Amino acid sequence: MSHYKKLDHKLLTLPTALLSLAAITSLTIIGYRFLNGLGSVTNLNDVYPWGIWVAFDIVVGTAFACGGYALALVVYILNKGKYHPLIRPALLTSLLGYAMGAVSAFIDMGRFYNFYYLFNPNQINLNSVMLEIALCVMAYILVMFIEFMPAMLEKFKKFALKEKLEKVLFVFIAIGALLPTMHQSSLGSLLIAAGQKVYPLWQSLYFQPILALSSAIIMGMSIVIWEGSMVTVVYKRQPETHLLKGVGQFALYLLLFFLVIRLFDITNRGVWGLAFQGDYRGNMFLLEMVLFLIPTYILISPSLRKRGPQLMVAGTSLLLAGALYRLNAFLIGWVPNPADTYSYFPSVPELMVTIGLVALELLVYVVVIKMFPIWPKEHGEAAQILHESG
Amino acid sequence: MHEIEKALDDRQLAVTAENLGISRRGFLQFCTGVAATLGLSNTAGIQIAQAVSNSGMRRPSVIWLSGSECTGCTESLLRSTHPTLETLILDMVSLDYSEALSVAAGYQVEEAKSAAMKENWGKYILVVEGAIPTKDGGIYCKIAGKTMLEHLHEGAEGAAAIVAMGSCSSWGGIPSAGMNPTGAKGVSDIIYDKPIINIPGCPPNPYNFLSVVLQYVTFNTLPALDDQLRPKFAYGRLIHENCERRPHFDAGRFANEFGDEGHRLGYCLYKLGCKGPETWANCPVIEFGDIGGGIWPVGVGAPCFGCTEKGVGFTKALHEASEVSTHTSPEFFPNINPEKGSTATAGSAGLLGAALGAAVGASAMAIRNLGKSEQQNESQGS
Amino acid sequence: MDRRSFLKMAGSGAVIAASGIPAAARGNLEVSDEAVGMLFDATRCIGCRACVASCKEIHGKPAELLDGEPMWDAAEDLSADTLNIIKAYKNEVEGHVSFIKRNCMHCVDPGCVSVCPTKALTKDPVTGIVEYDKDVCIGCRTCMASCPYNIPKYSYDETFGEINKCTFCNSKGIERISKGMLPGCSEVCPTGANIFGKRSDLLEEARRRLELNEGDRYVYKLNAIDSRYQQEGTVGKYQQHIYGEHEAGGTQVLMLAGVPFENLGMPNLPERSYASISETVQHSIYKSAIAPTALLGGMLWLARRNEKRIRDEEDQDGGDS
């Protein structure tokens, strides 16, 4: 008997209708992009090769999608079984988030029809960070899909098959914990080759991988908190605070680790002065720091860290902090020439594609949790059924 | 120069020069000048001089037909030289038929024409001035009872080569402008089985014609032609590539109105509609009128209208901007550090703000709700 | 959280952190013996832009027109249609102008080659020319991100775009170097401001010029370092620096100038190439796949043990979470 159920709500609501509209707009623009080239839709230019489709959709988007990864580490590697019920929703979010990242990567690729060369052993360049990210992400999506199969098999009542799969699931769980470790750190390493073109406040060189990885796991835990709180409120379920506060604790330890390395790196390279120049980039750095410090304060405080609303504040702030850290490193902190005379801001269609893809992701999430057994049954619900059945 | 000194001793040359009433040196200078126009060496110039003075040579016959023309091309030719040299040129060839220059008229002239054609069959040069109307059987131009079209076919049959003098006979010219009501065409659109040389222009510089004739008379050859059958030595370059005002073009100095400051300072006439960038001719090089010093349309402040070019002359509006095909860098330079790229617009900033606002707003709402339900639970529980 | 769990986390964290520290550093790549290059001497450049026109013609690229001014090819910057450009630096105070020629520097340790996932950008082992193969390029534009000079340019305005950059006129279909000819820009330069040749020879020539005094007379080579054509001129004032000798590992396009290179837009780069740092980090983490394999082994063991236990516990509890 399943510990999970599908949420009993209508599929077509005002929010899902609006999300569908945004998603359709986005898909139309994507179609136009394929017919007329990247320049017809985006504001990408000769010195800003990566815009929001890379910096947000892929780099931030996949970090948002690290819930499954973060929770897998907690549940299966650190052996905290009590968080297990949160795994399926987190996995769904991860699968959708990474799928969106992969779709964005594909539409951002100028010569996408050559992508099969990424699998050609004679053609690939093993020095390339981009190669590692591409292959690793594709493999991870496959793994997550397999990890998601039990939920699908449950829905379609293929219980025998489900049991067989669950016997070997640990293999995929282990791989699913390894792969994000590799590519999330590589997303940080991607910036090393850009050298001076990344503003010194974010060009951590040798520390890029560890900072990227730890912030990804932090964001993964934060999304679990955020998502859990949102579903509680929207679908009027019992709060999962007793679980989420534990997740918050793990996030805190990692957050302290991250901040120590980050502050050490900036001090070591002697670039603190840049933070206080009062210019755009300095201010964005300070904002990022504030967004990291607010949740630090909340999660350290014994009284605040076990309360639902405060946890949600911390979670939201951490998500914004992690996202801003990545956007700062890839986009806001991008300095194409020493005189800094170039600029980039996404165009309306470019933004619409991102917003529409996020909307699509939310839409699919909302539809799936209403159609498939994803969310855990609430306290006492299962016991009641057991009682009634005799 | 050594060869020229030697040539000056040539007895035959001396006699010819004396007959012409000019010095030997002057005569040689004329011939070497013509050779230079053809892109030939001084030695060729001497050969030309010798060919001219060699009275033993039979002067080739020239039949000059006049179609739908204004006679400007003949007039241009008449003004090409000092009168005694003009006489010389007309003595180099035997001009057996010319409506403009003939004193006689009527049946005798036509008979003389037929006789000359018969006598020189296969060897005479047919020069055609003016377009040939082809509509309605060609009745819009009739000479001596026959259409120009018939005259052309007849004349072409026995010609060694045909020279189309002027834009009208090269591609239709003025008569072919607009709707072309008479169906006026150039020679090369009607005759296909004879060597044709087009000398377009309205009028063309007479030396373009004279050089072709002299080359034929001296060497019995015709100059290298481009794909529109125009001699490359004259029509092988765009006016734009030879124009003395090109530095003004490159520097962005233009006359914007007739008589304005720029016009008076001699600036580029591109903005007044100069068709130099799409016209092939040597006007800036040899100019007109033999007096030098920038005497050609652009040189005197009148934008070129592309009189040699089919599709440009009499087709494009005078002040319509011409198409530049040979783009090169202007006189101004790009910045070391250009300010380029996109910035936030009202639309994009608004959209971004709305999306961010929605996300943060939804979170804030959830936080508030959680707070309320937690308060409720606490008050219930305790 | 109990002490046990914390220690486990810290332990795994340390392993991951340690893998970020370089185990075996990959230094800068060395320049090949027969590496070819160009020497651009800004003191000789008169800004005629014959090199720009020649490059456009050889590659069949269209003119870049200014808005409303269809007359000129007035590119503002290198782009997908402009592989070579001359820019001017005007010193209003001292009243002089210096020109700078910008095109691919053909780095000794190119960032673009290091990062390309499908080897679309490669460095010829003999000539050192950095070449591009559009047939395997996926258009990810990582090369654009990792070039300190912003040289590779993607043609965004085409449905199927490609990367465009100077290849010393040796790209497929042009192959001037392979045919024993010179790159177009070197061939047409009237003053010898841009000459082609072996990098080692050009470096020697550059050093010779830096020894000269302002006002001396010197015989400058035209077109190529071993050309029989030359031109005598007066030596100008040189900045005592050969740009490209060491910058980010060195470049095969060397530059001399009379004004500081920062004024000419040339970035001030350290000697260590960023490609070497990026590869050092990558190799340290993924050296023979030891770390990932070890990590996977550990995860497999833990996952197997814990996953089964959690499933059994849940079945016992009868569904209570």
PDB file of all heavy atoms in Angstrom, chain A residues 206-230:
ATOM      1  N   TYR A 206      40.531  28.858  -8.527  1.00  0.00           N
ATOM      2  CA  TYR A 206      40.613  27.486  -8.003  1.00  0.00           C
ATOM      3  C   TYR A 206      39.439  27.118  -7.110  1.00  0.00           C
ATOM      4  O   TYR A 206      39.144  25.945  -6.930  1.00  0.00           O
ATOM      5  CB  TYR A 206      41.916  27.282  -7.234  1.00  0.00           C
ATOM      6  CG  TYR A 206      43.128  27.329  -8.122  1.00  0.00           C
ATOM      7  CD1 TYR A 206      43.936  28.465  -8.176  1.00  0.00           C
ATOM      8  CD2 TYR A 206      43.471  26.259  -8.933  1.00  0.00           C
ATOM      9  CE1 TYR A 206      45.032  28.531  -9.004  1.00  0.00           C
ATOM     10  CE2 TYR A 206      44.576  26.307  -9.765  1.00  0.00           C
ATOM     11  CZ  TYR A 206      45.353  27.447  -9.795  1.00  0.00           C
ATOM     12  OH  TYR A 206      46.440  27.506 -10.623  1.00  0.00           O
ATOM     13  N   PHE A 207      38.780  28.114  -6.496  1.00  0.00           N
ATOM     14  CA  PHE A 207      37.667  27.807  -5.590  1.00  0.00           C
ATOM     15  C   PHE A 207      36.324  27.733  -6.305  1.00  0.00           C
ATOM     16  O   PHE A 207      35.314  27.442  -5.666  1.00  0.00           O
ATOM     17  CB  PHE A 207      37.585  28.849  -4.468  1.00  0.00           C
ATOM     18  CG  PHE A 207      38.676  28.722  -3.456  1.00  0.00           C
ATOM     19  CD1 PHE A 207      39.716  29.644  -3.415  1.00  0.00           C
ATOM     20  CD2 PHE A 207      38.681  27.677  -2.549  1.00  0.00           C
ATOM     21  CE1 PHE A 207      40.736  29.525  -2.490  1.00  0.00           C
ATOM     22  CE2 PHE A 207      39.700  27.554  -1.614  1.00  0.00           C
ATOM     23  CZ  PHE A 207      40.732  28.473  -1.585  1.00  0.00           C
ATOM     24  N   GLN A 208      36.311  28.007  -7.619  1.00  0.00           N
ATOM     25  CA  GLN A 208      35.031  28.002  -8.338  1.00  0.00           C
ATOM     26  C   GLN A 208      34.265  26.701  -8.141  1.00  0.00           C
ATOM     27  O   GLN A 208      33.072  26.721  -7.842  1.00  0.00           O
ATOM     28  CB  GLN A 208      35.246  28.246  -9.840  1.00  0.00           C
ATOM     29  CG  GLN A 208      35.682  29.663 -10.198  1.00  0.00           C
ATOM     30  CD  GLN A 208      34.530  30.650 -10.189  1.00  0.00           C
ATOM     31  OE1 GLN A 208      33.678  30.639  -9.290  1.00  0.00           O
ATOM     32  NE2 GLN A 208      34.512  31.522 -11.159  1.00  0.00           N
ATOM     33  N   PRO A 209      34.897  25.524  -8.311  1.00  0.00           N
ATOM     34  CA  PRO A 209      34.107  24.289  -8.217  1.00  0.00           C
ATOM     35  C   PRO A 209      33.456  24.107  -6.847  1.00  0.00           C
ATOM     36  O   PRO A 209      32.270  23.798  -6.758  1.00  0.00           O
ATOM     37  CB  PRO A 209      35.111  23.167  -8.493  1.00  0.00           C
ATOM     38  CG  PRO A 209      36.330  23.819  -9.002  1.00  0.00           C
ATOM     39  CD  PRO A 209      36.305  25.241  -8.641  1.00  0.00           C
ATOM     40  N   ILE A 210      34.201  24.297  -5.778  1.00  0.00           N
ATOM     41  CA  ILE A 210      33.650  24.003  -4.462  1.00  0.00           C
ATOM     42  C   ILE A 210      32.567  25.011  -4.081  1.00  0.00           C
ATOM     43  O   ILE A 210      31.549  24.661  -3.464  1.00  0.00           O
ATOM     44  CB  ILE A 210      34.764  23.918  -3.384  1.00  0.00           C
ATOM     45  CG1 ILE A 210      34.186  23.441  -2.048  1.00  0.00           C
ATOM     46  CG2 ILE A 210      35.464  25.240  -3.172  1.00  0.00           C
ATOM     47  CD1 ILE A 210      33.531  22.102  -2.095  1.00  0.00           C
ATOM     48  N   LEU A 211      32.760  26.261  -4.479  1.00  0.00           N
ATOM     49  CA  LEU A 211      31.739  27.269  -4.187  1.00  0.00           C
ATOM     50  C   LEU A 211      30.470  26.969  -4.972  1.00  0.00           C
ATOM     51  O   LEU A 211      29.356  27.084  -4.450  1.00  0.00           O
ATOM     52  CB  LEU A 211      32.264  28.668  -4.527  1.00  0.00           C
ATOM     53  CG  LEU A 211      33.308  29.214  -3.558  1.00  0.00           C
ATOM     54  CD1 LEU A 211      33.888  30.526  -4.088  1.00  0.00           C
ATOM     55  CD2 LEU A 211      32.711  29.434  -2.179  1.00  0.00           C
ATOM     56  N   ALA A 212      30.620  26.588  -6.217  1.00  0.00           N
ATOM     57  CA  ALA A 212      29.452  26.276  -7.041  1.00  0.00           C
ATOM     58  C   ALA A 212      28.718  25.067  -6.476  1.00  0.00           C
ATOM     59  O   ALA A 212      27.488  25.056  -6.391  1.00  0.00           O
ATOM     60  CB  ALA A 212      29.874  26.018  -8.477  1.00  0.00           C
ATOM     61  N   LEU A 213      29.462  24.058  -6.101  1.00  0.00           N
ATOM     62  CA  LEU A 213      28.845  22.832  -5.608  1.00  0.00           C
ATOM     63  C   LEU A 213      28.116  23.062  -4.287  1.00  0.00           C
ATOM     64  O   LEU A 213      26.950  22.678  -4.131  1.00  0.00           O
ATOM     65  CB  LEU A 213      29.908  21.749  -5.434  1.00  0.00           C
ATOM     66  CG  LEU A 213      29.390  20.417  -4.884  1.00  0.00           C
ATOM     67  CD1 LEU A 213      28.376  19.815  -5.846  1.00  0.00           C
ATOM     68  CD2 LEU A 213      30.534  19.451  -4.651  1.00  0.00           C
ATOM     69  N   SER A 214      28.802  23.701  -3.361  1.00  0.00           N
ATOM     70  CA  SER A 214      28.158  23.883  -2.046  1.00  0.00           C
ATOM     71  C   SER A 214      26.934  24.780  -2.169  1.00  0.00           C
ATOM     72  O   SER A 214      25.892  24.494  -1.576  1.00  0.00           O
ATOM     73  CB  SER A 214      29.145  24.428  -1.019  1.00  0.00           C
ATOM     74  OG  SER A 214      29.879  25.511  -1.543  1.00  0.00           O
ATOM     75  N   SER A 215      27.021  25.831  -2.981  1.00  0.00           N
ATOM     76  CA  SER A 215      25.848  26.689  -3.118  1.00  0.00           C
ATOM     77  C   SER A 215      24.718  25.946  -3.818  1.00  0.00           C
ATOM     78  O   SER A 215      23.539  26.187  -3.538  1.00  0.00           O
ATOM     79  CB  SER A 215      26.185  27.988  -3.867  1.00  0.00           C
ATOM     80  OG  SER A 215      26.716  27.716  -5.133  1.00  0.00           O
ATOM     81  N   ALA A 216      25.042  25.007  -4.703  1.00  0.00           N
ATOM     82  CA  ALA A 216      23.996  24.223  -5.364  1.00  0.00           C
ATOM     83  C   ALA A 216      23.270  23.341  -4.365  1.00  0.00           C
ATOM     84  O   ALA A 216      22.032  23.251  -4.374  1.00  0.00           O
ATOM     85  CB  ALA A 216      24.603  23.360  -6.467  1.00  0.00           C
ATOM     86  N   ILE A 217      24.016  22.704  -3.481  1.00  0.00           N
ATOM     87  CA  ILE A 217      23.374  21.832  -2.486  1.00  0.00           C
ATOM     88  C   ILE A 217      22.531  22.676  -1.528  1.00  0.00           C
ATOM     89  O   ILE A 217      21.399  22.307  -1.165  1.00  0.00           O
ATOM     90  CB  ILE A 217      24.419  21.013  -1.700  1.00  0.00           C
ATOM     91  CG1 ILE A 217      25.268  20.173  -2.660  1.00  0.00           C
ATOM     92  CG2 ILE A 217      23.728  20.097  -0.693  1.00  0.00           C
ATOM     93  CD1 ILE A 217      26.379  19.415  -1.980  1.00  0.00           C
ATOM     94  N   ILE A 218      23.062  23.842  -1.154  1.00  0.00           N
ATOM     95  CA  ILE A 218      22.288  24.744  -0.292  1.00  0.00           C
ATOM     96  C   ILE A 218      20.973  25.110  -0.966  1.00  0.00           C
ATOM     97  O   ILE A 218      19.898  25.082  -0.351  1.00  0.00           O
ATOM     98  CB  ILE A 218      23.089  26.031   0.005  1.00  0.00           C
ATOM     99  CG1 ILE A 218      24.307  25.714   0.878  1.00  0.00           C
ATOM    100  CG2 ILE A 218      22.213  27.067   0.695  1.00  0.00           C
ATOM    101  CD1 ILE A 218      25.301  26.845   0.961  1.00  0.00           C
ATOM    102  N   MET A 219      21.064  25.448  -2.248  1.00  0.00           N
ATOM    103  CA  MET A 219      19.852  25.821  -2.961  1.00  0.00           C
ATOM    104  C   MET A 219      18.900  24.634  -3.080  1.00  0.00           C
ATOM    105  O   MET A 219      17.682  24.793  -3.052  1.00  0.00           O
ATOM    106  CB  MET A 219      20.185  26.376  -4.344  1.00  0.00           C
ATOM    107  CG  MET A 219      20.796  27.767  -4.276  1.00  0.00           C
ATOM    108  SD  MET A 219      21.452  28.305  -5.850  1.00  0.00           S
ATOM    109  CE  MET A 219      19.951  28.786  -6.700  1.00  0.00           C
ATOM    110  N   GLY A 220      19.453  23.445  -3.206  1.00  0.00           N
ATOM    111  CA  GLY A 220      18.628  22.249  -3.266  1.00  0.00           C
ATOM    112  C   GLY A 220      17.833  22.084  -1.979  1.00  0.00           C
ATOM    113  O   GLY A 220      16.624  21.811  -2.000  1.00  0.00           O
ATOM    114  N   MET A 221      18.500  22.266  -0.871  1.00  0.00           N
ATOM    115  CA  MET A 221      17.790  22.173   0.411  1.00  0.00           C
ATOM    116  C   MET A 221      16.777  23.295   0.552  1.00  0.00           C
ATOM    117  O   MET A 221      15.667  23.085   1.051  1.00  0.00           O
ATOM    118  CB  MET A 221      18.801  22.206   1.548  1.00  0.00           C
ATOM    119  CG  MET A 221      19.685  20.970   1.517  1.00  0.00           C
ATOM    120  SD  MET A 221      20.916  21.004   2.797  1.00  0.00           S
ATOM    121  CE  MET A 221      21.674  19.401   2.547  1.00  0.00           C
ATOM    122  N   SER A 222      17.131  24.469   0.076  1.00  0.00           N
ATOM    123  CA  SER A 222      16.210  25.599   0.179  1.00  0.00           C
ATOM    124  C   SER A 222      14.968  25.380  -0.652  1.00  0.00           C
ATOM    125  O   SER A 222      13.868  25.771  -0.261  1.00  0.00           O
ATOM    126  CB  SER A 222      16.900  26.884  -0.271  1.00  0.00           C
ATOM    127  OG  SER A 222      18.129  27.039   0.391  1.00  0.00           O
ATOM    128  N   ILE A 223      15.128  24.762  -1.808  1.00  0.00           N
ATOM    129  CA  ILE A 223      13.957  24.551  -2.652  1.00  0.00           C
ATOM    130  C   ILE A 223      13.025  23.547  -1.994  1.00  0.00           C
ATOM    131  O   ILE A 223      11.796  23.635  -2.132  1.00  0.00           O
ATOM    132  CB  ILE A 223      14.340  24.134  -4.089  1.00  0.00           C
ATOM    133  CG1 ILE A 223      13.160  24.375  -5.049  1.00  0.00           C
ATOM    134  CG2 ILE A 223      14.705  22.671  -4.188  1.00  0.00           C
ATOM    135  CD1 ILE A 223      13.048  25.768  -5.534  1.00  0.00           C
ATOM    136  N   VAL A 224      13.606  22.587  -1.259  1.00  0.00           N
ATOM    137  CA  VAL A 224      12.767  21.624  -0.538  1.00  0.00           C
ATOM    138  C   VAL A 224      11.912  22.359   0.493  1.00  0.00           C
ATOM    139  O   VAL A 224      10.696  22.123   0.591  1.00  0.00           O
ATOM    140  CB  VAL A 224      13.636  20.539   0.135  1.00  0.00           C
ATOM    141  CG1 VAL A 224      12.813  19.707   1.094  1.00  0.00           C
ATOM    142  CG2 VAL A 224      14.277  19.649  -0.918  1.00  0.00           C
ATOM    143  N   ILE A 225      12.550  23.272   1.209  1.00  0.00           N
ATOM    144  CA  ILE A 225      11.816  24.073   2.196  1.00  0.00           C
ATOM    145  C   ILE A 225      10.752  24.924   1.508  1.00  0.00           C
ATOM    146  O   ILE A 225       9.580  24.952   1.908  1.00  0.00           O
ATOM    147  CB  ILE A 225      12.782  24.983   2.990  1.00  0.00           C
ATOM    148  CG1 ILE A 225      13.750  24.140   3.816  1.00  0.00           C
ATOM    149  CG2 ILE A 225      12.011  25.950   3.884  1.00  0.00           C
ATOM    150  CD1 ILE A 225      14.859  24.925   4.471  1.00  0.00           C
ATOM    151  N   TRP A 226      11.159  25.595   0.430  1.00  0.00           N
ATOM    152  CA  TRP A 226      10.262  26.524  -0.275  1.00  0.00           C
ATOM    153  C   TRP A 226       9.062  25.787  -0.856  1.00  0.00           C
ATOM    154  O   TRP A 226       7.906  26.177  -0.686  1.00  0.00           O
ATOM    155  CB  TRP A 226      11.046  27.222  -1.379  1.00  0.00           C
ATOM    156  CG  TRP A 226      10.352  28.388  -1.993  1.00  0.00           C
ATOM    157  CD1 TRP A 226      10.383  29.684  -1.583  1.00  0.00           C
ATOM    158  CD2 TRP A 226       9.524  28.375  -3.157  1.00  0.00           C
ATOM    159  NE1 TRP A 226       9.627  30.475  -2.412  1.00  0.00           N
ATOM    160  CE2 TRP A 226       9.089  29.697  -3.394  1.00  0.00           C
ATOM    161  CE3 TRP A 226       9.092  27.372  -4.037  1.00  0.00           C
ATOM    162  CZ2 TRP A 226       8.263  30.050  -4.452  1.00  0.00           C
ATOM    163  CZ3 TRP A 226       8.266  27.725  -5.099  1.00  0.00           C
ATOM    164  CH2 TRP A 226       7.853  29.052  -5.294  1.00  0.00           C
ATOM    165  N   GLU A 227       9.368  24.704  -1.531  1.00  0.00           N
ATOM    166  CA  GLU A 227       8.327  23.938  -2.206  1.00  0.00           C
ATOM    167  C   GLU A 227       7.366  23.313  -1.194  1.00  0.00           C
ATOM    168  O   GLU A 227       6.147  23.346  -1.372  1.00  0.00           O
ATOM    169  CB  GLU A 227       9.036  22.868  -3.009  1.00  0.00           C
ATOM    170  CG  GLU A 227       8.171  22.033  -3.908  1.00  0.00           C
ATOM    171  CD  GLU A 227       9.013  20.880  -4.412  1.00  0.00           C
ATOM    172  OE1 GLU A 227      10.220  21.100  -4.637  1.00  0.00           O
ATOM    173  OE2 GLU A 227       8.465  19.782  -4.546  1.00  0.00           O
ATOM    174  N   GLY A 228       7.977  22.768  -0.110  1.00  0.00           N
ATOM    175  CA  GLY A 228       7.148  22.151   0.917  1.00  0.00           C
ATOM    176  C   GLY A 228       6.173  23.167   1.514  1.00  0.00           C
ATOM    177  O   GLY A 228       4.975  22.900   1.670  1.00  0.00           O
ATOM    178  N   SER A 229       6.690  24.364   1.818  1.00  0.00           N
ATOM    179  CA  SER A 229       5.835  25.396   2.412  1.00  0.00           C
ATOM    180  C   SER A 229       4.754  25.852   1.441  1.00  0.00           C
ATOM    181  O   SER A 229       3.593  26.041   1.814  1.00  0.00           O
ATOM    182  CB  SER A 229       6.674  26.596   2.837  1.00  0.00           C
ATOM    183  OG  SER A 229       7.780  26.172   3.609  1.00  0.00           O
ATOM    184  N   MET A 230       5.123  26.021   0.155  1.00  0.00           N
ATOM    185  CA  MET A 230       4.147  26.495  -0.837  1.00  0.00           C
ATOM    186  C   MET A 230       3.004  25.505  -1.021  1.00  0.00           C
ATOM    187  O   MET A 230       1.835  25.889  -1.074  1.00  0.00           O
ATOM    188  CB  MET A 230       4.828  26.714  -2.206  1.00  0.00           C
ATOM    189  CG  MET A 230       5.648  27.987  -2.306  1.00  0.00           C
ATOM    190  SD  MET A 230       4.700  29.495  -1.998  1.00  0.00           S
ATOM    191  CE  MET A 230       4.018  29.811  -3.615  1.00  0.00           C
TER     192      MET A 230
END
